[in-house]
Amino acid sequence: MGIDIIGLIVGAVVTLVIFSYLLGDNVLYRWMLALLVGSGVGYVMGVVINEVLFDWFVAALAADSLATQIYYFTPIFLGILLLFRGFSSVKPLSPLSVIGNIPMGYLLGAGAGVAVGGALLGTLFPQVVATGAAVTLENPPWGLLRGVVLVGGTIAALLVFSPRPISINGEDGPWLPRVRHVGEFFIIVALAAAFAGAITTGLTLWVERWATVLRAALSFMGG
Amino acid sequence: MVRCPKCGKMNQDSSRFCNQCGTTLPQTRTRCPQCGLMNPIGNAFCSRCNTRLHDSEFQLPEQPKPPEETPVGVKGISLPTLPVAGDGTLETTELPDWLLELTEQSLETPADALEPTLEEPFLDWLSDLEDDTAGEVAGDATGRSTADAPVPDGVAPSATMPDWFDALPEEDEEAGAAEAEVETPSSLAGVDDEPALDELPDWLLATATPTSPGDVPSFTPWPEWLSKNAEEPTPGQEETEQELPGWLLQSAEAPPSHASPAAHSAEEDAGRVVPLPFPEPEEEPVSETSAPDWLAALYPAEEPEPQEAVESQAGQTASSLPDWLMGISEEEEVEPQAAATEPEAETVPDWLMGIYDDEEVEPPAAATEPGAETVPDWLMGIYDDEEAEPPDVAPSTEPEAEAVLGEDIPDWFADIDGKVEEAGPLAAIFTVEPEEEEPALEADIPDWLAGIMVEEPVPAQPQTFEQETESGQADVPATDDIPDWLKGMTPPDDEAAALEPAQSAFVPSETLSEASEDEAPALEAGEIPDWIEGLSPTAPGAVEEEAAFFDRVSGDESLVRAEVPSWLQGLRPPGTGPLPSLPEVAYTDKDQLDADIPLPQEGGLVRAEIPDWVQQYRPSADGEVGEESFLEPSETDGPLAGLRGMLPSGPLMDMPADFEPVSLAAKLDAVYPESIVAQAQLWQRLLEQPRSVPRPVAQHRVRSGRGQQAMRWIVAVVLLAVTALGLLWGEAPLSQALSRPHIERFSRAIDALQTGDTVIVAVEYGPAEAGEMTPLARAVVQHLADRNVQITMVSTLPEGAGLIHGLLEPQALVNHLAAGKAAYLPGSSSGVAQFLSEPAEAKMLIVLAGRAERLRWWVEQNNAQSATSPPLPVNVGVNAATAPLMMPYLETLPVVGWVVGLPDLAAYQEFRGLTSGALNSQLDALMLAHWAALALLLFGLFYYLALGKKGAS
């Protein structure tokens, strides 16, 4: 009996215990949930420590030049400063938590910069182009209709989230509320599609797990 | 509080000096020498012990004159105002003529109390009255006439002069001359002729002055009834006289500084309620300056104007009696016999005789008390037979008054029955003659006056004036003592028996005590009208019994008694029963003003009709079950029925006497659900524990309802069944993988790779998505291995590194990472950006994402690298949950193809020519599960539509 079998059996049992939530919340379900979260956190910690911190410290210590050392020790130093953020609840050390704002600012600034660039170049521009490119004369009329609906729906959905413009007469025009309603319809459709995808994913997982359980059972019984 | 005349500061009544400036304050209260009680300054007798407070020579302190203020014009009022002359008197030019005549009459009076201001001649009729009532005409309706009365010089006798003016003092020559210049108003035109004696009303004749000129003062404008109290001043009377205005004292025999003897004479009656001190012709000659007793008792001698007016009136002859005076006399009260017996009695004016109650006036009583002053008939009605015996009142004058008044008694006097106790200066007003029998004046009493006569005797009111007579007498005057002029005050209907008063309006303390001790003498029928009886103070022993009161009230349907709440009934004294319930007031057809008026429903209250348009807004009384309805129970009745969260007004406002709060346990069990009780108890235990004690986390969880639990079972069984069916289905596959263009592009893109090309595979899913993504990842890795490319697997998730190991190990593949690089990419999008910026000579990027965010990082950063290098072609493999969210990215460049979930995986494998039984069975099971989920969704849709969300819960 190999470890695979053991792993397979353990997996099956855990799966069934998780499925017991259908009958109601119970202690076994909470144990398995805690097991999943704990194992995941533990694994993450192991990976971070092994593949990030340890290797980094080793590289920093093995650096032969000062520049290399500064290069490796600077992130370590900022990481240590970042740890002071956790002392905000500890009254004697709470004043030191301000020190952690330095690396926090670096992280936020660098991350925002990368994200903004990616959003502009990777999302906004391509999406706008793709929306316009949907209106094509290829494969008429459905291709054209599809493109028009795509563009119209995108615009209407954007108007739903956009702020209300200032009207001259104090009242909105007759077209704006109607466009908003159209956009709300597209949003509803999109959310419904997302919900359907979530159901499909869940069912897929359901099926896959039962398949695993059956397979394990068959193999256990079949030897 | 007393205002300081200097600084205006308010001081206490007992203060003699101002607390601010030290100015001597006018006394507003006087201390009783016997008991020490502070009595109002106007009281002659103590309110507590009835001790005389002031001597006869006491004069009221002068009231501090208010600071001169500019007269403020009253806006909006069109009433005429009399201009005031510089000396404080009235402007004579603005006064009516008749008043001017009266004023002039008083101007010519030598009495010190007189301060004639009016210089205008009086009307002839008033001057005639004055002549007639010069103090010599007795109250003889037939024998005497206004002609007998001394006529002031220069005043032509007027045929229309009221008789009561006969007793007025004679005018002087100046006044007579002035009067001659008076313009007779048009209304009085034709009244200059002196009427014949027979034509004069009896009440006017009764006011004639005594026949004996010697007995009549030079100026006796007052009828005998007005000056009957002008006796020798007694100590008590004198002070009363001092309170009389000067114009009232003109006819008084006593010195002007003294009060009207009439008032004093009235005060001599021990406890009697004497009528107005009409002068008694037998007793005293009416002096020229003597004021009528009733008037003398009222005001001090500093008011000349009314005095003059009266004098001028007295100067007029009876021939000048105006029509309005002629018409208000009553014939029934006229008693020629009584008038004849008192020739010296002054004639009571007809208009005063009209208020005389025949039943209350007793001529014998009047005859037996010749020394009593004649009480005007109109005041006799308020005379209390039981308590007031005005010996000063001349019973003889009453018949005279009745004879004089005859049928001319004004109606409004007809019902002024009752007896008023003598009370200081005001006693003279309310002194009544001893009751005398007189014929009722029913025929002449107008309707409006008859209607105010109360049939039932009302409970005696608390006395407002208490007077102790000097003689200490507290005898209630007998019925016979009622003067004649009051006897005429009988109701139109012969309901004299119903007019027996229970008590007089004003009763001295001694009188009250005596009255309470003795039995209340039964009044003769028709003595005192009920509406005056109601003014009489309530004697301690004369209070209507509670039972009698309730009997009377319960029988009165016009009364509506409010419901007494139960908690108030509990406060009733022990031994008493509950209040008898009154019948609900029912509106008869006669009483209903409108036929639509509904009958009262509760306690005599009429429920208003709620319009229909308001009714439609009434909330429905349908209650809601569950905890929400419990926390905010809805009202079940009343106009607030159906509303929630209303304050319980009933328990707050109507607290019963026997209220006992329900025990908490019983209340909780009966009203509150178990879940609420459990939560409340848990909160209570947590709060009661000290802080040091670690508080456990509540393990109790709210169990779902049975409906939800049943639905769980149904869903679980259905899904398990279909899954088992699909997995164990060994026959032909039930489902079919449909190939899509994006799947083909995905496959072709990998097929286009050459051997040795580097492909970056991003494993962006975790253990939770591994069930769906792992078969896809394995298929992709297999396909890449078949193409002999170099695979570089990375992941931004820490757990992705373990998954990468599990994907490469079965294929014996090596993860071609850069030196010192790990499969784990920290830093989220920054790490991705850094990874992609490193030159790796990769030919394709395959992102296997179970989370949309991770995929977005890779796509965005891949596109962001276009500035330096062209973006890598991207193949995407996602799960079914991520696909709808990432579809905009999937259909844009540089994404080549994508595979979504298990169905696309099966199609991808089929496209590649690879088949798998396990995959097909899973696909079959997935299809059946989809159908089952669809059916369950539809079932839930119709289920909640039918029962509602709260009903289903």
Side-chain angles (χ1 to χ4, degrees), chain B residues 113-478:
Chain B
L114 298 178
E115 298 180 2
T117 57
L118 299 177
E119 297 178 356
E120 294 290 338
F122 288 95
L123 299 171
D124 295 337
W125 67 274
L126 290 176
S127 62
D128 295 337
L129 285 178
E130 185 177 5
D131 295 336
D132 294 337
T133 59
E136 298 177 359
V137 179
D140 187 353
T142 55
R144 295 182 295 107
S145 66
T146 55
D148 297 333
V151 180
D153 297 337
V155 178
S158 172
T160 62
M161 179 60 67
D163 296 340
W164 62 278
F165 282 117
D166 295 340
L168 294 179
E170 207 172 354
E171 285 186 341
D172 295 338
E173 294 183 2
E174 298 178 357
E179 290 177 356
E181 299 176 357
V182 173
E183 298 180 4
T184 305
S186 59
S187 60
L188 298 180
V191 297
D192 296 340
D193 299 333
E194 180 177 357
L197 186 60
D198 297 338
E199 300 177 4
L200 292 176
D202 297 336
W203 67 274
L204 284 179
L205 296 178
T207 58
T209 56
T211 53
S212 173
D215 297 335
V216 178
S218 60
F219 179 67
T220 58
W222 305 104
E224 182 181 0
W225 58 270
L226 290 177
S227 60
K228 66 179 179 181
N229 288 335
E231 299 174 345
E232 292 74 16
T234 59
Q237 293 176 349
E238 288 178 0
E239 66 184 44
T240 308
E241 292 175 352
Q242 296 169 1
E243 301 168 343
L244 296 174
W247 63 277
L248 293 176
L249 298 177
Q250 62 181 353
S251 62
E253 293 182 358
S257 60
H258 299 291
S260 170
H264 297 304
S265 62
E267 296 175 3
E268 288 179 352
D269 300 332
R272 287 188 306 169
V273 178
V274 294
L276 285 181
F278 296 103
E280 189 174 356
E282 304 175 60
E283 192 171 4
E284 55 180 356
V286 180
S287 63
E288 183 176 355
T289 61
S290 62
D293 297 335
W294 65 276
L295 292 176
L298 277 179
Y299 304 99
E302 287 78 18
E303 298 183 12
E305 294 82 353
Q307 200 173 16
E308 296 171 355
V310 175
E311 291 175 353
S312 63
Q313 292 179 2
Q316 299 294 334
T317 59
S319 61
S320 61
L321 180 65
D323 296 336
W324 63 274
L325 290 177
M326 293 291 291
I328 59 177
S329 60
E330 287 197 13
E331 298 177 354
E332 295 182 6
E333 295 183 355
V334 176
E335 289 189 3
Q337 296 178 357
T341 55
E342 300 178 359
E344 297 180 356
E346 294 183 1
T347 306
V348 179
D350 294 343
W351 63 276
L352 292 177
M353 289 297 293
I355 60 176
Y356 197 54
D357 184 5
D358 296 338
E359 298 179 2
E360 297 180 0
V361 178
E362 296 180 4
T368 55
E369 299 180 2
E373 296 178 359
T374 303
V375 179
D377 296 341
W378 65 276
L379 291 176
M380 285 298 293
I382 57 178
Y383 186 59
D384 185 4
D385 297 337
E386 299 177 6
E387 302 170 359
E389 288 184 6
D392 299 337
V393 177
S396 60
T397 60
E398 297 173 355
E400 294 177 359
E402 295 175 356
V404 173
L405 293 176
E407 298 179 352
D408 297 335
I409 298 175
D411 298 338
W412 61 278
F413 284 115
D415 291 335
I416 303 180
D417 283 342
K419 299 174 177 61
V420 179
E421 183 191 8
E422 178 183 355
L426 301 179
I429 302 177
F430 301 101
T431 55
V432 296
E433 290 281 351
E435 294 181 351
E436 297 179 7
E437 294 180 352
E438 285 192 340
L441 302 175
E442 305 174 8
D444 292 336
I445 297 176
D447 297 337
W448 66 271
L449 193 59
I452 63 176
M453 292 185 295
V454 180
E455 297 181 358
E456 296 181 357
V458 298
Q461 298 294 329
Q463 63 180 29
T464 56
F465 297 98
E466 293 182 357
Q467 186 82 22
E468 179 185 11
T469 59
E470 296 180 356
S471 60
Q473 297 181 9
D475 299 335
V476 177

Side-chain angles (χ1 to χ4, degrees), chain B residues 642-949:
Chain B
L643 296 178
R644 297 188 179 279
M646 297 293 110
L647 292 176
S649 60
L652 293 177
M653 297 176 64
D654 186 8
M655 186 66 68
D658 56 350
F659 172 73
E660 292 183 359
V662 183
S663 62
L664 180 61
K667 186 175 182 181
L668 293 177
D669 295 339
V671 180
Y672 296 91
E674 294 181 1
S675 60
I676 299 297
V677 174
Q679 291 182 3
Q681 291 175 352
L682 178 61
W683 276 111
Q684 185 69 25
R685 288 196 299 272
L686 292 176
L687 294 175
E688 289 175 354
Q689 291 179 355
R691 290 184 174 274
S692 60
V693 175
R695 303 186 180 186
V697 179
Q699 299 296 330
H700 174 75
R701 61 181 184 276
V702 179
R703 291 183 176 273
S704 59
R706 292 185 177 182
Q708 292 184 355
Q709 199 165 4
M711 187 61 66
R712 285 170 176 259
W713 277 99
I714 294 173
V715 172
V717 169
V718 169
L719 291 178
L720 188 60
V722 301
T723 302
L725 179 63
L727 291 175
L728 299 176
W729 183 261
E731 301 297 330
L734 301 175
S735 62
Q736 183 181 2
L738 299 177
S739 179
R740 303 287 179 87
H742 54 84
I743 297 174
E744 298 176 358
R745 290 196 297 269
F746 182 89
S747 180
R748 293 195 179 96
I750 294 177
D751 291 337
L753 292 173
Q754 301 296 327
T755 302
D757 292 338
T758 302
V759 175
I760 300 174
V761 179
V763 180
E764 302 292 347
Y765 63 90
E769 302 89 7
E772 186 175 6
M773 295 302 297
T774 299
L776 178 59
R778 288 179 180 172
V780 170
V781 171
Q782 181 66 39
H783 193 183
L784 293 173
D786 294 342
R787 300 304 300 166
N788 294 321
V789 296
Q790 294 183 354
I791 300 172
T792 302
M793 282 191 162
V794 291
S795 176
T796 59
L797 293 173
E799 57 270 24
L803 297 172
I804 292 171
H805 179 75
L807 293 173
L808 295 176
E809 185 180 6
Q811 301 293 333
L813 298 174
V814 177
N815 192 2
H816 298 273
L817 292 172
K821 297 294 181 182
Y824 170 62
L825 297 177
S828 62
S829 60
S830 302
V832 172
Q834 181 184 8
F835 177 78
L836 293 175
S837 63
E838 293 176 355
E841 299 180 354
K843 301 296 182 182
M844 181 180 289
L845 176 58
I846 298 175
V847 180
L848 302 175
R851 302 174 186 180
E853 184 182 18
R854 309 287 174 167
L855 177 60
R856 184 165 54 84
W857 291 348
W858 286 100
V859 172
E860 291 179 352
Q861 298 307 319
N862 184 41
N863 294 336
Q865 300 297 325
S866 60
T868 55
S869 61
L872 297 173
V874 181
N875 274 350
V876 177
V878 292
N879 57 356
T882 307
L885 302 177
M886 299 307 297
M887 194 58 66
Y889 293 93
L890 299 179
E891 296 187 350
T892 59
L893 293 175
V895 176
V896 178
W898 65 87
V899 176
V900 180
L902 189 61
D904 291 350
L905 176 60
Y908 170 65
Q909 293 287 81
E910 185 174 355
F911 181 78
R912 289 186 63 206
L914 300 174
T915 59
S916 169
L919 188 58
N920 292 334
S921 63
Q922 290 183 7
L923 193 62
D924 295 339
L926 182 60
M927 180 192 69
L928 294 175
H930 274 109
W931 290 355
L934 179 61
L936 291 174
L937 288 173
L938 292 175
F939 172 76
L941 174 64
F942 293 109
Y943 178 79
Y944 285 104
L945 285 177
L947 297 182
K949 181 179 180 181

Side-chain angles (χ1 to χ4, degrees), chain A residues 21-26 30 36 43-44 47-48 51-52 71 110-111 114-115 117-119 121-123 126-127 130 146 190 193-194 197-201 203-208 210-211 214-215, chain B residues 701 709 712-713 716 719-720 723 727-728 768 771-772 798-799 801-802 822-824 826 829-830 833 856 859-861 863-864 879-881 884-885 888-889 891-892 902 922 925-926 929-930 933 937:
Chain A
Y21 188 76
L22 288 173
L23 305 179
D25 193 7
N26 55 76
R30 292 182 178 270
L36 175 62
Y43 184 82
V44 169
V47 171
V48 169
E51 298 187 1
V52 176
Y71 171 79
V114 173
L121 299 177
T123 301
Q127 293 296 331
R146 181 173 177 271
I199 292 177
T200 303
T201 299
L203 292 175
T204 305
L205 293 174
W206 166 270
V207 170
E208 189 274 337
W210 280 113
L214 287 176
R215 189 168 51 252
Chain B
R701 61 181 184 276
Q709 199 165 4
R712 285 170 176 259
W713 277 99
L719 291 178
L720 188 60
T723 302
L727 291 175
L728 299 176
E772 186 175 6
E799 57 270 24
Y824 170 62
S829 60
S830 302
R856 184 165 54 84
V859 172
E860 291 179 352
Q861 298 307 319
N863 294 336
N879 57 356
L885 302 177
Y889 293 93
E891 296 187 350
T892 59
L902 189 61
Q922 290 183 7
L926 182 60
H930 274 109
L937 288 173

